């Protein structure tokens, strides 16, 4: 829809005023899409006496992009207010809001801060575009160990079952959830989500914002969703028995169900379901994979210094966790330390990587689940079957120079 932009005010003045926007939803999406593609930092939509001008700020320059009539502008303004969750009937006071936008195709999450200012007879819109790192929405870039990534991709091939993500607060679960969804082409499947709230609008995915305050919760949402002929269902969180039961039923009727549970480890997730009074045989039949994850500080790649740990109190501790997952003993492993350079001194807080534990739930765990075993017993068996725990993953990532052993020991 947008092909040209100009810096030249005279060219802009000669431009026709657009009066034929038949699809304001598509127009809005295209406008944001265009701004992001040319790396504009702000979109200014400015009403004047005869028309409304739309221009982008790119570096220091303003680029004129479009000129629309005031009738078209009322539609655009209403659309922006809906997207940013602002009051449509408010015209006389400034309003601030946020739009969660995701780029068509790449799903790059974009935060757009919207500011509305009343000016004579109208409201002026300025939108600040804040980009995030699109590469993060890719399973291959989430720093899974190869052995874990293979387990996940194998499970996704079957296109049914239930996959749960165990998450303590602030563990970056939405990145993992959406990366898993992105593994599927939404044009080949009916992908439907129940979210609270919907943070980013993703093209071709049917996203529903549940509203527990009006009785539309995850459970009632799930009941409706299964009647919508879905292939893949993502439920933001399982908090109660009813939602858990419905999610399991959906998985057992040939849907792929993705969800999250607030627990600290993969094995604790199974115990949590047992404690919700879910029939153990249902858990064993529906649940296929549990991914548990946390975030850990990443070591600065510019200033990191190799060193070996001499203190037996620490090496013994590391060895007890590693338990021969890698052949070396802790005293022989090269770990890394921060040396603080301007790069990390200013920006270290941005740097986090995921550490994971991926538990495949197969018939070898059936007896334990049917006997309602504790999380410890399940974890013990899972380790025998080759599961790498979060601690082990963190130690491996310390030994490969991605994080530090100090950060890893903080997890205990
Ligand atoms: Zn540094």
């Amino acid at each position: 829809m947008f092909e040209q932009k100009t810096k030249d005010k005279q060219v802009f003045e000669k431009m026709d005023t657009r009066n034929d926007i038949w699809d304001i939803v598509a127009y809005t999406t295209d406008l944001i899409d265009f701004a992001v593609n040319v790396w504009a930092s702000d979109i200014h939509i400015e009403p004047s006496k005869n028309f409304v001008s739309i221009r982008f700020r790119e570096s220091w320059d303003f680029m004129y992009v479009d000129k629309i009539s005031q009738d078209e502008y009322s539609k655009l303004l209403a659309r922006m207010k809906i997207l940013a969750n602002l009051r449509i009937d408010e015209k006389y006071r400034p309003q601030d809001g946020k739009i969660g936008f995701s780029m068509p195709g790449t799903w790059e999450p974009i935060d757009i801060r919207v500011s509305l200012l009343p000016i004579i007879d109208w409201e002026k819109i300025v939108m600040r575009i804040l980009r995030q790192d699109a590469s993060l929405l890719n399973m291959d870039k989430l720093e899974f160990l190869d052995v874990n990534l293979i387990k996940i991709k194998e499970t996704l091939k079957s296109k049914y079952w239930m996959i749960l993500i165990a998450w303590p607060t602030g563990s970056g679960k939405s990145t993992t959830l959406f990366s898993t969804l992105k593994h599927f082409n939404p044009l080949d499947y009916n992908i439907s989500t129940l979210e609270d709230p919907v943070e980013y609008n993703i093209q071709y995915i049917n996203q529903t914002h549940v509203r527990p305050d009006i009785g539309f919760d995850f459970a009632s949402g799930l009941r409706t969703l299964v009647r919508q002929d879905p292939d893949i269902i993502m439920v933001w969180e399982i908090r109660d028995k009813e939602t858990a039961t419905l999610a399991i039923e959906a998985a057992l009727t040939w849907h792929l169900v993705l969800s999250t549970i607030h627990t600290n480890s993969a094995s604790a997730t199974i115990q949590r379901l047992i404690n919700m009074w879910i029939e153990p045989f249902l858990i064993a039949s529906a649940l296929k994979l549990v991914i548990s994850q946390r975030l850990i500080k990443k070591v600065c790649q510019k200033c990191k210094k190799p060193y070996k740990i001499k203190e037996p109190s620490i090496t013994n501790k590391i060895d007890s966790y590693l338990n021969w997952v890698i052949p070396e003993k802790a005293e022989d492993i090269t770990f890394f330390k921060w040396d603080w350079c301007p790069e990390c001194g200013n920006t270290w807080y941005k740097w986090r990587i995921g550490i994971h534990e991926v538990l495949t739930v197969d018939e070898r765990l059936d007896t334990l689940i049917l006997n309602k075993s504790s999380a410890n017993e399940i974890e013990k068996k899972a380790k025998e079957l080759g599961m790498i725990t979060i601690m082990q993953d963190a130690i491996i990532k310390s030994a490969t120079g991605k994080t530090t052993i100090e950060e890893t020991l903080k997890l205990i």
Side-chain angles (χ1 to χ4, degrees):
M1 204 174 291
F2 302 92
E3 278 118 36
Q4 56 186 49
K5 48 193 172 92
T6 176
K7 218 169 161 173
D8 190 334
K9 201 161 192 307
Q10 276 159 4
V11 174
F12 178 69
E13 272 165 1
K14 286 189 197 119
M15 217 188 249
D16 291 333
T17 301
R18 202 193 284 268
N19 204 1
D20 57 351
I21 306 174
W22 58 275
D23 184 348
I24 198 69
V25 174
Y27 181 87
T28 312
T29 306
D30 285 354
L31 179 67
I32 297 173
D33 193 32
F34 186 43
V36 172
N37 274 315
V38 297
W39 290 89
S41 59
D42 305 81
I43 303 173
H44 290 242
I45 306 174
E46 299 158 309
S48 58
K49 207 167 166 229
N50 300 317
F51 55 82
V52 175
S53 64
I54 301 180
R55 50 185 186 153
F56 294 166
R57 186 186 289 279
E58 292 172 28
S59 304
W60 302 108
D61 296 327
F62 272 119
M63 300 297 281
Y64 292 90
V65 176
D66 207 3
K67 190 193 267 182
I68 60 176
S69 71
Q70 296 188 335
D71 287 346
E72 302 299 333
Y73 181 57
S74 7
K75 292 190 265 174
L76 182 63
L77 182 61
R79 177 69 190 153
M80 292 298 184
K81 284 181 172 178
I82 291 169
L83 285 175
N85 242 324
L86 300 174
R87 288 187 54 169
I88 294 190
D89 56 348
E90 177 64 75
K91 293 184 174 68
Y92 304 109
R93 269 184 275 260
Q95 297 193 74
D96 294 307
K98 195 197 108 174
I99 298 175
F101 184 81
S102 96
M103 290 295 282
T106 64
W107 292 23
E108 177 183 352
I110 314 263
D111 280 327
I112 300 170
R113 277 211 304 259
V114 181
S115 162
L116 285 187
L117 178 71
I119 53 176
I120 307 162
D121 298 332
W122 273 109
E123 289 159 273
K124 168 176 168 150
I125 311 177
V126 177
M127 303 197 289
R128 164 64 51 92
I129 299 169
L130 302 161
R131 299 185 74 150
Q132 301 188 23
D133 189 352
S135 67
L136 281 179
L137 280 189
N138 178 342
M139 270 200 292
D140 294 317
K141 304 246 168 87
L142 291 182
E143 304 272 2
F144 279 106
L145 295 180
D146 287 346
V147 49
N148 286 333
L149 196 58
I150 291 167
K151 278 192 212 170
I152 298 171
K153 289 189 172 171
E154 274 305 308
T155 308
L156 292 178
K157 272 187 198 157
S158 52
K159 301 191 191 75
Y160 58 97
W161 307 109
M162 179 156 81
I163 297 176
L164 289 178
I165 297 173
W167 61 283
T169 311
S171 61
K173 67 166 174 169
S174 52
T175 309
T176 309
L177 265 179
F178 283 109
S179 306
T180 315
L181 283 186
K182 206 183 163 200
H183 188 72
F184 299 96
N185 181 349
L187 296 180
D188 292 337
Y189 300 95
N190 173 2
I191 303 180
S192 300
T193 71
L194 294 171
E195 299 173 54
D196 184 18
V198 174
E199 282 186 52
Y200 296 100
N201 248 305
I202 299 172
Q203 208 177 20
Y204 306 124
I205 299 236
N206 308 297
Q207 295 171 284
T208 301
H209 180 169
V210 295
R211 295 277 308 274
D213 54 320
I214 55 164
F216 178 48
D217 55 12
F218 287 121
S220 58
L222 257 174
R223 262 188 224 101
T224 308
L225 260 197
V226 291
R227 291 194 289 268
Q228 290 265 324
D229 185 27
D231 299 296
I232 299 161
I233 299 171
M234 190 269 265
V235 186
W236 190 240
E237 193 185 341
I238 291 178
R239 293 176 190 153
D240 52 56
K241 180 182 180 180
E242 204 187 358
T243 311
T245 310
L246 290 163
I248 285 175
E249 275 170 16
L252 291 175
T253 47
W254 304 91
H255 302 101
L256 179 72
V257 180
L258 283 164
S259 190
T260 70
I261 269 197
H262 197 138
T263 56
N264 281 322
S265 71
S267 45
T269 304
I270 297 180
Q271 194 182 33
R272 180 81 202 281
L273 289 171
I274 294 172
N275 291 345
M276 280 181 186
W277 299 99
I278 307 294
E279 286 295 341
F281 74 92
L282 288 177
I283 303 173
S285 354
L287 185 61
K288 187 65 184 175
L289 199 74
V290 187
I291 304 168
S292 173
Q293 75 171 35
R294 298 212 205 158
L295 296 177
I296 193 165
K297 241 181 239 174
K298 193 171 173 179
V299 67
C300 175
Q301 301 297 315
K302 276 229 166 111
C303 65
K304 67 177 181 187
K305 292 261 178 312
Y307 78 113
K308 292 225 161 86
I309 300 174
K310 297 277 180 284
E311 301 88 332
S313 60
I314 301 178
T315 53
N316 289 342
K317 199 178 263 174
I318 297 171
D319 285 333
S320 74
Y321 278 104
L322 269 183
N323 202 16
W324 296 104
V325 165
I326 48 179
E328 291 88 357
K329 289 294 234 178
E331 56 181 12
D332 303 321
I333 300 174
T334 304
F335 292 107
F336 296 86
K337 262 195 164 114
W338 297 83
D339 200 17
W340 300 101
C341 62
E343 182 117 350
C344 57
N346 301 326
T347 57
W348 63 267
Y349 58 88
K350 281 186 191 164
W351 300 351
R352 294 273 196 285
I353 55 164
I355 43 175
H356 312 95
E357 181 170 285
V358 179
L359 172 64
T360 307
V361 185
D362 59 19
E363 64 288 345
R364 295 173 298 178
L365 289 178
D366 279 0
T367 327
L368 285 176
I369 296 174
L370 296 177
N371 289 335
K372 302 188 177 178
S373 306
S374 69
N376 282 342
E377 291 169 297
I378 294 169
E379 180 165 305
K380 189 165 165 262
K381 180 73 180 173
K383 276 155 77 178
E384 280 169 32
L385 298 172
M387 180 184 80
I388 294 181
T389 62
I390 288 236
M391 262 312 272
Q392 291 170 336
D393 190 9
I395 297 171
I396 293 170
K397 282 171 181 155
S398 309
T400 47
K402 292 188 167 147
T403 183
T404 68
I405 205 72
E406 276 90 349
E407 291 301 319
T408 301
L409 292 173
K410 282 184 195 164
L411 297 170
I412 300 171

